[in-house]
Amino acid sequence: MTKSSLDLEMESNRKKVIEKRSQLQEVEEKLFSVEEKWIKNEINKDTKDRWYSIYSNEILNLKGSD
């Protein structure tokens, strides 16, 4: 690989990392929102459990896809 192709690959990887961080932050905020609604009695346990599971799995997948 030449230096320029390495630079392009590094730039591409940097953009992917930034995108993954953004996605992770978004899902973590959604999970926090579900937890807040549960604490405030705005949703029932089944709803909380369902969304908690979905968002937790998304977080694990995003963290594992480095």
Side-chain angles (χ1 to χ4, degrees):
M1 290 184 140
T2 65
K3 182 172 175 10
S4 63
S5 63
L6 284 174
D7 289 344
L8 288 173
E9 186 173 343
M10 284 178 58
E11 180 64 19
S12 173
N13 287 343
R14 189 180 68 79
K15 288 179 181 176
K16 288 177 187 173
V17 168
I18 290 169
E19 184 179 324
K20 290 288 182 190
R21 283 184 187 155
S22 175
Q23 291 173 347
L24 180 59
Q25 182 177 356
E26 185 178 312
V27 176
E28 286 174 336
E29 287 171 2
K30 289 178 181 178
L31 181 57
F32 182 75
S33 175
V34 167
E35 291 170 341
E36 278 190 321
K37 288 176 181 171
W38 165 246
I39 290 167
K40 294 177 182 177
N41 272 339
E42 295 174 1
I43 57 174
N44 65 32
K45 182 173 178 1
D46 290 339
T47 301
K48 190 270 279 179
D49 289 347
R50 181 176 67 243
W51 286 107
Y52 187 89
S53 175
I54 289 169
Y55 292 145
S56 293
N57 284 333
E58 280 187 51
I59 288 168
L60 286 174
N61 287 335
L62 286 167
K63 286 183 175 180
S65 67
D66 294 341

